[in-house]
Amino acid sequence: MDPELIRYRIVAQRTDPEHPGASAVTNYAYGRSVEEAVTKARKALEKPDRLYGDQGMYRVVEVVEESPSSELRQQEEARRRYLTTILENATATVRGREPDSPDAELLSRLDDFFTRAVTFPDPHTSGVHPRPHQATFGWASEPPGIQHASDPGRALALFLLAYLHHHGLDLVEASARTSALPEERTDVGRPSARAMEENEASPELVERVLDICGQHYAAVTGTSSEQWDQESARKVVRIALRTVQLAERDTYYPRALETYLQTHRARLERLWRRYGPGGMFAGEVVLTDSPACFVLCERIDESPLWLEGVWTRESQEENALERLQNAWLYDTGEEDGR
């Protein structure tokens, strides 16, 4: 066979849905170009009883080169489309939620990781190679300490930082705590005693947050402060405030909590109707007896993992928080019709 001939896969699609033939038909032809291969296929299949016998019944919708090099090229094109999707989705998700002044070194490290792990995960295959500055872990000849970058890598790095920040898991602060207190490192999600003490909210902020919760709680439940266990409520508020970023506590958080409780007023009313004293499931969620449950609801939505870790560290009853979390997330929606 002429070595210059290339094997092509030619896919034809049925144009008339009423036609009894197959909806798509695949054939193969050799040629020096796409046009030559399609012409050969048409000539071979244009007889009255063949594929192109009835003019316009089938039309060619895809012609693909069938060779080792073309397969690698197609894989590379597919990989690039995939990376484009990653880049666009990550960028769209993070837009407007970018972390404030992210640590440059941390961002560079994460960019390096995602560039190696996602953008160019296998530099040893034949075909298209990454440029030297985009080398991956697999390149043994790479000098140690080199960091690499790519647009998808940076987008994913920012996506990860924004996601962790949303859930109260700041990598920079966590690194600073553990490096400053090496002798007191504990399990993930369970800060050390010293770190917890340093993370304590001020009494003034505790009272301010409790007052906000109390006003909304009284409006929703019809109860008054004389009926609440104030000391127990303060303790719960202090725990919840440990999951709020230090920079946001005094200025940003009280306003954010006020807005949150106003926005979710209907859900809070549904929670009380179902789990309050006169509700169908009265007594099943003990935390609803306190106005502090409202700040827990906000933290469940904003920083659930961080809240679970601090709650456990404080030796609180885990089932109590879990029951409130399940009730708040899954039993207060509008679709319940209550």
Side-chain angles (χ1 to χ4, degrees), residues 49-280:
D49 59 339
R50 304 299 297 275
L51 180 62
Y52 299 108
D54 296 325
Q55 184 68 28
M57 190 63 68
Y58 281 86
R59 61 185 178 88
V60 174
V61 295
E62 183 181 46
V63 181
V64 180
E65 181 181 328
E66 292 278 319
S67 68
S69 60
S70 65
E71 183 177 354
L72 289 173
R73 190 162 54 251
Q74 293 163 30
Q75 291 176 354
E76 174 64 13
E77 290 173 356
R79 187 186 69 81
R80 292 188 179 186
R81 288 195 299 270
Y82 176 66
L83 287 174
T84 299
T85 301
I86 289 178
L87 178 61
E88 291 175 348
N89 289 343
T91 302
T93 302
V94 174
R95 186 177 296 116
R97 305 178 184 178
E98 296 87 349
D100 296 330
S101 303
D103 182 83
E105 176 63 18
L106 176 60
L107 183 60
S108 177
R109 294 284 186 184
L110 291 176
D111 186 355
D112 176 52
F113 169 77
F114 285 116
T115 297
R116 295 170 184 265
V118 178
T119 307
F120 293 106
D122 187 3
H124 293 296
T125 57
S126 57
V128 180
H129 285 289
R131 295 187 296 276
H133 73 282
Q134 295 169 325
T136 72
F137 291 121
W139 282 17
S141 60
E142 176 184 302
I146 290 182
Q147 291 187 20
H148 313 289
S150 65
D151 286 341
R154 180 178 174 82
L156 286 172
L158 288 171
F159 186 17
L160 175 61
L161 290 176
Y163 178 84
L164 293 177
H165 178 75
H166 177 74
H167 290 285
L169 301 174
D170 193 293
L171 290 181
V172 176
E173 290 190 4
S175 175
R177 285 199 301 268
T178 54
S179 61
L181 305 169
E183 73 283 1
E184 296 186 16
R185 292 180 66 179
T186 55
D187 292 341
V188 175
R190 302 193 180 198
S192 68
R194 187 187 302 175
M196 291 297 293
E197 183 178 352
E198 293 175 353
N199 199 27
E200 185 75 36
S202 68
E204 294 78 13
L205 181 60
V206 171
E207 292 302 322
R208 186 179 177 187
V209 169
L210 182 57
D211 182 61
I212 292 172
C213 291
Q215 293 178 33
H216 286 270
Y217 189 77
V220 168
T221 67
T223 62
S224 63
S225 58
E226 291 77 14
Q227 300 170 265
W228 311 332
D229 184 340
Q230 296 287 344
E231 194 53 42
S232 175
R234 288 188 183 91
K235 183 176 182 179
V236 172
V237 170
R238 281 195 294 269
I239 292 174
L241 286 174
R242 286 173 185 153
T243 67
V244 179
Q245 298 288 347
L246 290 172
E248 299 178 353
R249 284 185 185 173
D250 295 319
T251 56
Y252 170 78
Y253 184 69
R255 296 196 303 271
L257 177 63
E258 178 76 39
T259 300
Y260 177 89
L261 296 180
Q262 291 174 353
T263 303
H264 293 85
R265 175 67 176 270
R267 286 182 65 194
L268 294 168
E269 292 175 346
R270 284 191 285 270
L271 179 70
W272 178 253
R273 284 201 301 269
R274 290 183 63 78
Y275 295 95
M280 183 182 302

